[in-house]
Amino acid sequence: MLDSRVIRVGVLLLICFALLLMQLTNIQVRQAAALDRNPLNQVVQPSPFFGPRGEIISSDGYVLAESKRTNDQYHYLRVYPPLTAAMFSGITGYYATAVEANPFGIEASYNQYLAQHESPVNSLHGLFTQHLETDDVILTVSERLQAAAMHALDSQPDAQSGGAVVAIDPRNGNILAMYSNPSYNPNLFAVHNPAAVNALATKYNSLPNAENPLYNDAIAALHPPGSTFKIVTTSAIYDHHPSIANQSFPVEALYDFPHTGSPPKTIHNYAYEVCGGSLAAALAVSCDTSYSQIAYELGASSLASEARAFGFGSVPPIDVPGAVASQFPPPSAIDAPSASPYLAYSAIGQYDDNATALQMALATAAVADHGKIMAPHLVSKVVGSLGNDEFVYRPHVWRRATSAKTAASVLGLMTGVTTTNIGTAYTVFQGYYSSGFPTAAAKTGTAQPGGNGCGTYNWLVAAAPAGAGQTPSVVVAAMVPVLSSRACAINPTGASVAGPVAVAVLEAALRQQGGG
Amino acid sequence: MATLAATSKSKPRRRSELGLLIVGIIVVSFAYVLATLGVYNQLPAKFATFIAILVGVALAMNLVNRWLVPEADPVLMPVVLVLNGLGFVMIMRLAPYENAPHLAGFQAAWSILGVVAYSGTLLVIRRSRDLERFRYLLLLAAIGLLLMPMVPHLGDAAENVGGVDLWVKLGPITFQPIEVSKILLVIFFASYFVEKRELLSMSTNRVGNHLLPDLRPFGPVVFASAGSILVILLEKDIGFSLLLFILFLSMLWVATGRWAYLLAGLVVFVVGTYVAASVLSQLTTRIDIWLDPWRYLPPGANQGGYQPVLGELGLGQGGLTGTGLGLGNPQAIPVAESDFIFAALGEELGLIGAAAIIVGYVLIVGSGLRTSVRSRSDFSKMVALGLTVTLGFQAFIIMAGVTRLLPLTGVTLPFISYGGSSLVANYVLVALLMRISDEDSELPAPVPRGMRAVTARRAERRTTAAAGAR
């Protein structure tokens, strides 16, 4: 009797230990991932958070972010050298040691290399020890060109906050410069003062997107692209209805929309200019009446599929978080006869067309690089602690927007925008050509947001060198909003406001590539 | 020692033990090397010394057992060696971070002292029935030890962390007398229950046609419960009083087989805890922290959740296979070398390592209960049971506290946690188990040694013994 009860006590103890094993499995297996993500885990596993981080280095060797030893509990301070701190803030992002922050920029997307991590095992001894190392990230962006982009945008007298400029090498997708204003000082987020960091983040995030420095307008701000979208529309002509390219369009100031009753609804050219004639002339002048007619001849589905091919509706695969997809309305929304003005508006980058500066740069890159769009990226490689390449970005095609033949035709037409005296960018490129720079293809855009104000989103995209037989090595897209009451006084246009910014960056990029 | 060499051939259990000890030495040595490599990135400087002490201790154990308890269980001491060794490795690995480089040296010294105490116990107590003689003296000693921390100038305020008064300071040595008194109480309960079994088992009074429960046997339950609750109130400790209460109830139930005692004990415990909780705010807080430690983190008035949360994060970090010895970050857990050493081991050895440690305790419990079942006298049967229950539940209570299966109560993890009194007391505890285990295997005097095919006779003997007790 005694023995059977002793055994029962043993069973009870076994049950207790079995419960313990179950609870351990619950914690160590089932909840392990959730516990690992817990912010307090920084205390338990401090090394990746409190250790040094690798450097971020520009393509011309400037250190843009580094870690400095401190004597406080965080051990290391992330330092962004003052000369380049604000200039690169949209690219590097910040590393806030003291708070849990929504990460962005290179600091976020290349964190696995920048943060301390275990070096590969290369000896038996190494199998049982932990050797931590950090890697350095080398950008495709040079300090020199990024500085040119910043100065070009910030010195534009009428530019308001929320402007952006992007320069890309269309042949490989290397981003050469990417800047949007306003920028900020990432050092203010790296300080070891959680209260100050949180207060600053709250302050910034309470601002409208255009004024929020943490918001990267170049990849995240969607605005109507205006006549720069005519690149896509023109490409659609060659791809879907090549006969339109040989038409002669009526020379007129007003265009009557079909099926819009009597009197019909009309669209007029910029400043009631009278234009038309060949497709080349229509693109050079950015003739809205001609392109309205083209829109009806192409039809909604041709336009929509061309926009899709150029990347509208897809998030560009840039190697920092935060990029958004540009928008083109579905064919059904613009195709119905009653909605017919919208088809024309969509063909000229208004109505529900919305694009980022990056997207318009990529659309230009498509016609510059034989119809294909290379995946845009900011990092060329990651270098390990021993100088070895831990990661090399291999350029690859993001999408094929159009045929090489169409691309060449559209690019050829776009050179007329800068080289013929009727071209919208002829004046703004005068200085460029007199400095001896090669032939450039360009397209301007001046989009009016809804409402009757004078404010506009001003665009200029350009590619060079774009002479016959040349493949452009630089594509620039500049987007400059002028929305204040001052817009009514200065009549901003793509050429007048965004033009100088784009041309300055284009010149600097070509100069850099020429080794000058 | 001459006899030792002569009789070694006839001691297969000690040969098995030696083999298992060698396996234990290998396991502990590997752990030591890996932990040192992980923390210092180099091979241990004093590896030869460490191996020498480890092998010396293991051989000493085996020789003492050959001499004093040749037929005792061969599994117990190798498991104890591995647990003690792993605990030492973890303390050695944590010590530089705890700003207490002496911890490892102290633990090593205490472990050696524990083996000395183990040998001394076996040497002094040659027969388990010797223990029975001093029943009331032992009870007095146990109660005296229990009350020691409350004696002015003896209680050690510096060690009484978290409002728990369990420590006593005698000259340079601080220790927890309750660790010793738990063993004395086991012996007292065993002898008392065996003697009073008849009385305690009597269940009813008959009045006319009605059976009425006899209230007298409930006296001891009330007495023990009151004692436990008194300990809670006076020393503000829940862990050990819970342990003593479980010990008392399980021994009482095994002795009498009366479920009513268990029920009464449960009721008394629930009511008592409720009363204690209303008096002691500390108890309510502990339960709140148990339910949701994440609410009690710094910054805040009550930061009691910090240690459990960090323990849980560490265990989560360990995952299935652990971070590897010396490669985790268990030093983030406050005083990880003591109550939370199981979380530290779980982090670096993973679920697999933690499960291995639990299996170690299961082996000890199995060995202890087998000893109890095989034991011939009711007294030694009860002592073996009580000792096993004490050790098994103490391990369970603290591991369950660390993993939040139960509210956290501060008892040490036997053989693993840092602490001299705990180590020495538990070595004495296993010494008593080994003594009883050795007696179980002894055959009655007339039967010549070496004749081992007598299982039938043994079974027969056991039946007679049981019948005699009835």
Side-chain angles (χ1 to χ4, degrees):
Chain A
M1 281 307 285
L2 218 58
D3 288 349
S4 72
R5 289 197 287 272
V6 168
I7 289 165
R8 282 194 205 175
V9 170
V11 170
L12 175 68
L13 265 164
L14 270 183
I15 291 172
C16 284
F17 284 122
L19 284 173
L20 192 59
L21 271 176
M22 280 165 64
Q23 170 72 345
L24 262 181
T25 313
N26 175 33
I27 294 178
Q28 298 202 274
V29 178
R30 201 173 73 85
Q31 295 180 15
L35 288 169
D36 197 32
R37 277 196 305 274
N38 193 290
L40 197 77
N41 211 25
Q42 293 181 17
V43 184
V44 181
Q45 291 297 325
S47 36
F49 291 93
F50 295 160
R53 284 172 75 77
E55 295 180 343
I56 302 176
I57 302 170
S58 73
S59 67
D60 49 353
Y62 282 77
V63 173
L64 309 172
E66 60 190 323
S67 278
K68 290 204 167 137
R69 194 87 175 83
T70 57
N71 287 325
D72 62 4
Q73 82 237 43
Y74 296 98
H75 305 312
Y76 288 92
L77 177 67
R78 193 64 165 159
V79 175
Y80 303 87
L83 178 73
T84 51
M87 188 194 296
F88 278 88
S89 59
I91 293 174
T92 59
Y94 60 75
Y95 184 74
T97 317
V99 300
E100 187 198 9
N102 287 329
F104 58 95
I106 298 291
E107 293 277 26
S109 54
Y110 287 84
N111 185 53
Q112 55 165 321
Y113 295 106
L114 292 168
Q116 264 194 331
H117 53 269
E118 275 181 57
S119 57
V121 173
N122 45 22
S123 68
L124 188 64
H125 186 248
L127 205 59
F128 303 109
T129 59
Q130 204 170 30
H131 181 69
L132 296 173
E133 63 170 20
T134 61
D135 302 330
D136 296 337
V137 173
I138 316 290
L139 301 185
T140 55
V141 184
S142 69
E143 186 273 343
R144 186 171 154 181
L145 202 55
Q146 183 73 359
M150 180 177 82
H151 291 136
L153 192 60
D154 285 354
S155 60
Q156 187 60 20
D158 300 306
Q160 279 180 269
S161 58
V165 56
V166 178
I168 299 179
D169 184 336
R171 299 167 299 179
N172 49 28
N174 284 359
I175 293 181
L176 305 172
M178 184 172 85
Y179 179 78
S180 70
N181 65 358
S183 53
Y184 66 98
N185 181 357
N187 289 304
L188 299 178
F189 288 92
V191 294
H192 295 166
N193 179 346
V197 173
N198 282 327
L200 190 65
T202 308
K203 182 185 148 199
Y204 280 171
N205 286 323
S206 67
L207 296 169
N209 282 344
E211 289 163 38
N212 181 352
L214 300 178
Y215 188 78
N216 190 348
D217 293 274
I219 60 171
L222 288 169
H223 298 304
S227 297
T228 54
F229 188 79
K230 283 173 187 160
I231 296 171
V232 179
T233 308
T234 311
S235 180
I237 294 173
Y238 290 100
D239 285 348
H240 296 280
H241 294 279
S243 63
I244 300 173
N246 302 321
Q247 281 181 18
S248 183
F249 301 98
V251 177
E252 58 194 357
L254 282 169
Y255 173 74
D256 298 339
F257 291 122
H259 318 299
T260 50
S262 181
K265 290 180 181 165
T266 60
I267 186 171
H268 63 80
N269 289 319
Y270 182 76
Y272 291 93
E273 194 181 9
V274 176
C275 59
S278 69
L279 181 60
L283 185 71
V285 183
S286 198
C287 191
D288 289 341
T289 50
S290 306
Y291 270 88
S292 296
Q293 188 179 329
I294 290 168
Y296 292 102
E297 291 178 21
L298 276 175
S301 58
S302 297
L303 264 179
S305 79
E306 195 74 6
R308 222 170 21 250
F310 271 78
F312 282 77
S314 306
V315 179
I318 188 172
D319 50 353
V320 284
V324 301
S326 299
Q327 301 157 343
F328 187 82
S332 58
I334 51 177
D335 208 13
S338 63
S340 78
Y342 300 130
L343 179 56
Y345 289 144
S346 300
I348 60 170
Q350 305 259 18
Y351 183 52
D352 275 352
D353 294 6
N354 282 300
T356 60
L358 176 65
Q359 172 57 47
M360 291 324 292
L362 293 176
T364 312
V367 294
D369 188 34
H370 312 294
K372 62 184 190 291
I373 304 177
M374 302 298 287
H377 58 274
L378 286 156
V379 168
S380 62
K381 62 179 179 177
V382 176
V383 179
S385 56
L386 300 172
N388 53 317
D389 288 349
E390 291 280 334
F391 166 82
V392 175
Y393 193 99
R394 301 198 190 288
H396 55 275
V397 175
W398 174 37
R399 61 205 304 134
R400 185 159 274 289
T402 181
S403 66
K405 192 160 166 278
T406 301
S409 305
V410 177
L411 191 68
L413 293 180
M414 283 168 67
T415 57
V417 178
T418 67
T419 55
T420 59
N421 61 6
I422 55 164
T424 50
Y426 179 74
T427 317
V428 78
F429 270 85
Q430 284 296 295
Y432 170 91
Y433 283 122
S434 61
S435 301
F437 285 104
T439 308
K443 186 67 199 84
T444 56
T446 310
Q448 282 132 354
N452 296 323
C454 315
T456 50
Y457 291 106
N458 307 285
W459 298 76
L460 192 139
V461 296
Q470 288 178 309
T471 300
S473 56
V474 182
V475 161
V476 178
M479 190 280 296
V480 181
V482 180
L483 302 170
S484 66
S485 54
R486 186 165 153 69
C488 294
I490 61 164
N491 275 327
T493 64
S496 71
V497 184
V501 177
V503 171
V505 174
L506 186 61
E507 288 179 356
L510 289 168
R511 214 177 282 128
Q512 174 176 284
Q513 285 180 343
Chain B
M1 288 291 149
T3 49
L4 201 134
T7 55
S8 66
K9 270 217 161 85
S10 65
K11 289 169 184 167
R13 294 193 145 197
R14 298 279 72 77
R15 273 208 310 281
S16 317
E17 183 183 68
L18 187 61
L20 290 172
L21 282 169
I22 290 169
V23 173
I25 289 171
I26 293 170
V27 168
V28 173
S29 308
F30 263 99
Y32 183 77
V33 173
L34 290 179
T36 318
L37 269 177
V39 174
Y40 299 104
N41 208 352
Q42 61 186 30
L43 284 166
K46 298 178 193 159
F47 188 54
T49 323
F50 176 79
I51 286 281
I53 292 177
L54 188 62
V55 170
V57 163
L59 279 182
M61 270 181 192
N62 190 244
L63 288 176
V64 165
N65 290 349
R66 276 169 195 269
W67 176 30
L68 294 169
V69 281
E71 297 299 328
D73 188 293
V75 177
L76 210 48
M77 293 323 283
V79 173
V80 166
L81 180 89
V82 168
L83 292 179
N84 192 354
L86 285 181
F88 170 80
V89 166
M90 182 46 73
I91 289 162
M92 181 274 305
R93 177 245 176 282
L94 286 168
Y97 299 96
E98 301 290 331
N99 238 343
H102 61 272
L103 279 188
F106 277 16
Q107 183 76 351
W110 281 117
S111 305
I112 293 168
L113 205 67
V115 176
V116 170
Y118 170 82
S119 314
T121 308
L122 289 181
L123 198 61
V124 171
I125 296 158
R126 292 301 187 94
R127 292 273 153 200
S128 60
R129 64 168 176 268
D130 295 350
L131 295 165
E132 209 171 356
R133 282 188 217 154
F134 311 107
R135 180 201 299 172
Y136 289 101
L137 205 64
L138 291 179
L139 177 66
L140 270 181
I143 292 174
L145 283 168
L146 269 180
L147 298 178
M148 254 172 100
M150 276 163 281
V151 178
H153 307 297
L154 214 53
D156 185 7
E159 290 280 1
N160 291 333
V161 193
V164 174
D165 304 326
L166 282 178
W167 294 86
V168 156
K169 197 177 174 76
L170 273 182
I173 301 167
T174 53
F175 72 106
Q176 288 187 306
I178 204 160
E179 294 272 11
V180 181
S181 90
K182 72 184 183 190
I183 298 174
L184 303 183
L185 283 175
V186 166
I187 299 167
F188 169 75
F189 288 153
S191 86
Y192 181 80
F193 291 155
V194 167
E195 193 186 296
K196 308 277 186 205
R197 248 173 95 185
E198 315 277 314
L199 180 70
L200 291 167
S201 304
M202 202 189 297
S203 63
T204 49
N205 289 335
R206 190 177 285 268
V207 178
N209 280 337
H210 300 279
L211 289 174
L212 286 181
D214 184 5
L215 290 177
R216 272 177 304 163
F218 287 91
V221 185
V222 175
F223 176 76
S225 314
S228 291
I229 292 161
L230 202 70
V231 171
I232 299 185
L233 287 177
L234 292 178
E235 305 194 346
K236 298 175 197 138
D237 174 73
I238 308 153
F240 272 109
S241 45
L242 176 68
L243 184 62
L244 294 184
F245 194 67
I246 291 174
L247 170 70
F248 172 80
L249 266 190
S250 54
M251 288 185 77
L252 181 59
W253 179 72
V254 170
T256 62
R258 288 195 51 183
W259 290 96
Y261 282 130
L262 282 188
L263 200 68
L266 208 67
V267 169
V268 169
F269 188 77
V270 168
V271 172
T273 310
Y274 184 78
V275 171
S278 61
V279 179
L280 266 186
S281 63
Q282 197 203 9
L283 196 63
T284 344
T285 318
R286 285 239 169 154
I287 290 169
D288 288 345
I289 291 172
W290 171 53
L291 293 175
D292 188 5
W294 300 87
R295 276 172 51 223
Y296 296 91
L297 294 173
N302 185 338
Q303 305 181 350
Y306 193 63
Q307 200 184 21
V309 161
L310 284 194
E312 207 166 321
L313 286 173
L315 284 173
Q317 202 68 45
L320 186 64
T321 55
T323 59
L325 271 171
L327 301 179
N329 203 38
Q331 60 266 25
I333 309 168
V335 277
E337 74 278 4
S338 175
D339 296 353
F340 265 75
I341 198 159
F342 185 62
L345 286 164
E347 176 176 345
E348 298 211 320
L349 298 177
L351 175 64
I352 293 172
I357 288 168
I358 294 174
V359 167
Y361 288 109
V362 170
L363 285 176
I364 293 180
V365 164
S367 156
L369 292 183
R370 192 169 56 233
T371 299
S372 171
V373 168
R374 286 188 182 169
S375 183
R376 276 171 298 163
S377 85
D378 283 353
F379 171 70
S380 52
K381 204 179 272 293
M382 291 298 290
V383 171
L385 169 81
L387 295 175
T388 309
V389 162
T390 307
L391 198 134
F393 272 106
Q394 182 169 345
F396 171 71
I397 285 172
I398 184 60
M399 290 192 287
V402 167
T403 54
R404 284 215 297 130
L405 194 62
L406 293 178
L408 179 66
T409 51
V411 297
T412 54
L413 186 57
F415 296 113
I416 296 189
S417 287
Y418 176 77
S421 33
S422 165
L423 259 182
V424 172
N426 286 315
Y427 266 108
V428 170
L429 189 153
V430 291
L432 295 178
L433 275 181
M434 289 290 276
R435 165 58 68 222
I436 296 168
S437 170
D438 184 56
E439 287 172 355
D440 298 348
S441 312
E442 274 176 20
L443 297 170
V447 181
R449 267 170 193 269
M451 263 192 68
R452 303 199 58 78
V454 284
T455 25
R457 192 181 306 181
R458 253 203 246 169
E460 180 192 68
R461 188 185 64 227
R462 201 173 289 138
T463 358
T464 10
R470 241 171 237 130

